[in-house]
Amino acid sequence: MKIILAALALLSPAIAAAQVATPAPAAVAGARPITVERITVHSQAVEDNLEGNSADRHVIVLLPPSYKTSPNRRYPVVYALHGYSIGAEQWASEIHVPQTIEAAFAKGAREMIVVLPDTKTMHNGSFYSRSATVGDFENFIARDLVGYVDSHYRTVADRQSRGLAGHSMGGYGTTRIGMLHPDTFGAIYIMSPCCLLTRALGVTDAEQEKVFRAMKTPADSEKLNWGQRAQLATAAAWSPNPKAPPLYLDLPIKDGVPQPDVLARWNANTPIAMFDQHAGDLRRYRAIGLDVGDRDGLKDGAEQLHAAMDRYGIRHRYQVYSGDHTSGVATQMQTVVIPFFSDALVFPK
């Protein structure tokens, strides 16, 4: 497939491997168990999307060891977003929860609630964007999910006590939502983000376009390969078209010819293109973290985001660690991300 974002092409092998196994950091002896709850959260923002994605979203809630025994205590919350082609359950397995969260607390991180929402869609990923075709998954996270968790759990319902993190597509979502919703979150941690910018496309492939044009319903994407579904997911999120059934999206190619207007719409959704407009919003955060593996195909994008924050004097932590796209994600969650929010968020006295 030649018509595809270069970043997504680099990402495909890594995500395929991530669904099989990722290395787990060593368990910590004596770590107290957390409580794992699986719930369903209805999202008004996702209702009535043209793709038919359910507005009832699966969510995993991780409650700290003291939650059941300290009924008057309130906790900060961290929302952790999964990557493309996986959902909340696969994400939980990828980062080895509950072990990694229990170990982080046992090694000194202050206790917090951690929430893993599922945003998998018809084409395997929402890109945490606002789309009539896919649904408004940006506001599912920033409004509906936050509102539900604050009303059903003992949270500290204040932006300074609310964190957002994510890996790969979730890293993109963290960057995007972080830019657009600084009134909701007080600290963000971006892990190996995808899709920070679009790159020049290769030779257009008319045969590939024929495959998409022949589809009768969005559900036909289940028969397609990873790269084809990623292409459709990107178009559904970033170039929706309610007047273009049955897929309700505009492709970046038509009759074998590239469509600059569609590519411009894609580019408008990339954080590097959005950065100048939202640098001031990012400056409002108590803390920003960004990391990427030294063998990750998405390292160049992370470097550009790091450089953009430096250019505007936005304080942030940037780490390039030894690893590929997925090999270090569980260790980073245990040893870096949870401790980062332990330091960055405001905890009740």
Side-chain angles (χ1 to χ4, degrees):
M1 179 178 184
K2 295 180 180 179
I3 303 178
I4 191 166
L5 288 172
L8 290 175
L10 289 168
L11 201 52
S12 176
I15 287 186
Q19 294 183 73
V20 178
T22 55
V28 175
R32 298 168 60 199
I34 66 176
T35 300
V36 180
E37 295 190 351
R38 287 170 168 83
I39 63 173
T40 299
V41 176
H42 183 81
S43 172
Q44 288 187 332
V46 178
E47 287 179 354
D48 302 322
N49 66 85
L50 298 171
E51 215 167 70
N53 297 307
S54 176
D56 295 321
R57 308 307 304 182
H58 175 56
V59 178
I60 301 174
V61 180
L62 309 172
L63 301 174
S66 66
Y67 191 87
K68 299 295 187 182
T69 57
S70 301
N72 296 319
R73 184 173 174 182
R74 291 188 171 271
Y75 300 84
V77 185
V78 171
Y79 297 83
L81 310 181
H82 64 78
Y84 179 76
S85 84
I86 63 173
E89 293 294 341
Q90 296 94 329
W91 174 222
S93 177
E94 184 175 310
I95 58 177
H96 294 275
V97 299
Q99 176 188 319
T100 48
I101 309 301
E102 292 169 346
F105 293 156
K107 295 180 76 171
R110 290 185 284 182
E111 291 187 2
M112 64 194 77
I113 298 170
V114 179
V115 178
L116 312 179
D118 193 308
T119 69
K120 197 170 183 180
T121 61
M122 183 68 69
H123 303 315
N124 273 343
S126 69
F127 288 91
Y128 301 97
S129 298
R130 305 176 70 172
S131 165
T133 300
V134 181
D136 183 353
F137 280 86
E138 175 192 313
N139 277 309
F140 162 58
I141 301 297
R143 186 190 69 201
D144 297 344
L145 181 60
V146 167
Y148 182 95
V149 171
D150 281 346
S151 64
H152 288 77
Y153 294 91
R154 296 195 314 275
T155 69
V156 182
D158 184 273
R159 66 173 293 273
Q160 296 189 87
S161 300
R162 199 179 288 127
L164 181 66
H167 176 258
S168 194
M169 183 185 77
Y172 165 82
T174 299
T175 311
R176 176 194 179 96
I177 295 172
M179 287 179 168
L180 298 173
H181 296 273
D183 290 333
T184 302
F185 301 98
I188 57 175
Y189 198 102
I190 305 160
M191 308 174 73
S192 302
C194 83
C195 316
L196 297 180
L197 68 166
T198 53
R199 300 177 181 178
L201 298 178
V203 178
T204 56
D205 185 345
E207 293 304 313
Q208 187 61 57
E209 181 189 1
K210 290 179 182 178
V211 172
F212 296 143
R213 302 292 182 196
M215 293 174 63
K216 302 300 183 184
T217 71
D220 288 346
S221 71
E222 295 177 1
K223 305 171 187 176
L224 305 181
N225 63 37
W226 190 99
Q228 292 169 327
R229 297 188 81 176
Q231 177 82 3
L232 287 178
T234 306
W238 294 350
S239 52
N241 185 346
K243 299 293 186 181
L247 301 182
Y248 301 103
L249 53 82
D250 290 329
L251 294 169
I253 178 175
K254 185 175 182 180
D255 299 327
V257 179
Q259 300 297 296
D261 60 324
V262 176
L263 296 178
R265 291 158 68 188
W266 286 23
N267 191 62
N269 281 276
T270 60
I272 296 301
M274 296 164 62
F275 196 92
D276 294 322
Q277 303 169 60
H278 295 286
D281 297 310
L282 290 174
R283 194 173 284 113
R284 295 177 57 190
Y285 284 95
R286 296 176 58 83
I288 297 174
L290 170 65
D291 69 26
V292 69
D294 59 1
R295 301 188 305 279
D296 192 331
L298 302 181
K299 182 170 176 283
D300 287 350
E303 294 270 359
Q304 290 197 39
L305 182 59
H306 165 56
M309 286 193 278
D310 270 353
R311 187 166 64 249
Y312 276 92
I314 298 170
R315 290 184 300 170
H316 65 289
R317 167 182 177 157
Y318 179 53
Q319 178 190 10
V320 179
Y321 59 85
S322 177
D324 57 29
H325 186 63
T326 58
S327 62
V329 63
T331 297
Q332 288 294 104
M333 183 65 69
Q334 176 177 308
T335 63
V336 179
V337 178
I338 296 300
F340 166 87
F341 286 113
S342 176
D343 292 334
L345 298 179
V346 173
F347 286 71
K349 295 181 180 178

